[in-house]
């Protein structure tokens, strides 16, 4: 199992103060990594970082910042690298979603979604890549979605779906381009997971979100996290440009 260990490595996780990102940060720390937790809310970042450090004994650093702000992205990454001396893993997890029919989506909202989900991921990846190269190689794990592959029902979320398709294809593009630098770039595509973003318990979503899926349930963030550890670790040393679907079979139908 040594190939799954991340001892001596530093991972930076965006959107790490709650939901999936927090579970990813905790799992990476459990696997031995020191972790930098990024999000806009400093208090929530601090609380998550303290809890993970107490539970795992790993070093955690909260860094408050906004992935949609170009100078902020450079500051976040430089601060993280200065605090830990190296960066080995980047998990691009920060994301937002709005439910609204296409004809009612204001331009600003469409652009906001792309700003966080795609441009934020792009900027973070380019800011972190030089540090990965300096460390002799590294791994980027992007958080895509089944929404890149299917159109969710009953709610409409056109910007989100398109943004996640962009995440999957950007994953492949960067994987091809950065393989010579020893950087692997992969994505996960989760199905419905219980977080603040996804109101999986609301009865109006039950038929389509839950009963339509072969496993007929949603996931917890902790069930998705081991896939991120796998892709971040040497266990996935020959895997790049892949999209690992973790959806309880949702996309089979
Ligand atoms: P949450 O809304 O629970 O958490 C989102 C996280 O992103 C928060 O930590 C938030 O922190 C951070 N964030 C949002 N905007 C920014 C920003 N501009 N800069 C920095 N951080 C930001 O979402 P989930 O945990 O559900 O989702 C995490 C990822 O997983 C997203 O990419 C989402 O698309 C994806 N996903 C989720 C699924 C689900 O069913 N939940 C299914 C498939 C994919 P703060 O507000 O402090 O900035």
């Amino acid at each position: 199992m040594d190939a799954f260990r991340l001892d001596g490595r530093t991972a930076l996780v965006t959107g790490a103060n709650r939901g999936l990102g927090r579970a990813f940060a905790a799992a990476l720390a459990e696997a031995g990594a020191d972790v930098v937790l990024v999000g806009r809310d400093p208090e929530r970042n601090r609380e998550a970082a303290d809890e993970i450090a107490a539970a795992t004994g790993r070093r955690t650093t909260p860094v408050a910042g906004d992935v949609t702000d170009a100078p902020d992205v450079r500051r976040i990454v430089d601060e993280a690298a200065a605090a830990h001396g190296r960066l080995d893993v980047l998990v691009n997890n920060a994301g937002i979603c709005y439910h609204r029919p296409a004809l009612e989506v204001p331009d600003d909202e469409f652009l906001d979604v792309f700003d966080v989900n795609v441009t934020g991921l792009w900027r973070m990846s380019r800011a972190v890549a030089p540090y990965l190269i300096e460390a002799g190689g590294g791994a980027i794990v992007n958080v895509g979605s089944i929404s890149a592959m299917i159109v969710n029902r009953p709610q409409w979320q056109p910007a989100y779906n398109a943004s996640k398709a962009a995440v999957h294809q950007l994953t492949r593009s960067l994987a091809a381009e950065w393989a010579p630098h020893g950087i692997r770039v992969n994505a996960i595509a989760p199905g419905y997971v219980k977080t603040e973003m996804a109101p999986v318990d609301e009865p109006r979503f039950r038929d389509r979100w839950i009963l339509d899926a072969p496993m007929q349930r949603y996931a917890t963030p902790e069930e998705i996290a081991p896939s991120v550890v796998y892709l971040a670790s040497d266990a996935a040393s020959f895997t790049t440009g892949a999209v690992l679907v973790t959806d309880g079979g949702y996309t089979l139908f």
Side-chain angles (χ1 to χ4, degrees), residues 13-24 38-45 63-69 72-73 76 92-97 112 115-117 120-121 124 142-147 152 160 163-164 167 188-200 209 218-219 221 224 246:
V13 182
T14 67
N17 61 29
R18 62 174 190 259
L20 280 159
R22 184 174 175 143
F24 299 159
V38 176
R40 289 163 305 175
D41 184 329
E43 270 174 37
R44 275 186 143 181
N45 293 346
V63 177
D66 187 334
V67 301
T68 66
D69 182 308
D72 220 22
V73 165
I76 292 166
N92 280 309
N93 164 78
I96 58 170
C97 178
D112 264 7
D115 223 16
V116 181
N117 298 6
L121 177 151
M124 284 297 306
N142 294 326
V143 180
S145 172
I146 57 167
S147 304
N152 304 71
Y160 182 84
S163 76
K164 290 298 181 179
V167 167
I188 58 165
Y192 289 105
V193 187
K194 188 178 168 77
T195 66
E196 282 181 30
M197 177 189 281
V200 291
W209 289 17
Y218 55 77
I224 309 295
T246 52

Side-chain angles (χ1 to χ4, degrees), residues 94 105 130 156 171 177 184 244:
V105 175
W156 303 121
T171 298
E177 195 174 328
R184 295 181 299 100
L244 179 54

Side-chain angles (χ1 to χ4, degrees), residues 87-166:
L87 293 176
D88 305 278
V89 172
L90 167 65
V91 181
N92 280 309
N93 164 78
I96 58 170
C97 178
Y98 299 101
H99 296 173
R100 211 183 301 282
L103 289 174
E104 294 168 20
V105 175
D107 267 359
D108 283 357
E109 190 176 283
F110 187 90
L111 294 171
D112 264 7
V113 172
F114 268 73
D115 223 16
V116 181
N117 298 6
V118 184
T119 315
L121 177 151
W122 162 250
R123 289 201 178 115
M124 284 297 306
S125 302
R126 293 211 311 165
V128 167
Y131 289 105
L132 302 184
I133 293 167
E134 195 183 308
I140 297 177
V141 183
N142 294 326
V143 180
S145 172
I146 57 167
S147 304
M149 306 157 72
I150 54 108
V151 175
N152 304 71
R153 295 179 297 168
Q155 81 289 4
W156 303 121
Q157 45 183 56
Y160 182 84
N161 298 348
S163 76
K164 290 298 181 179

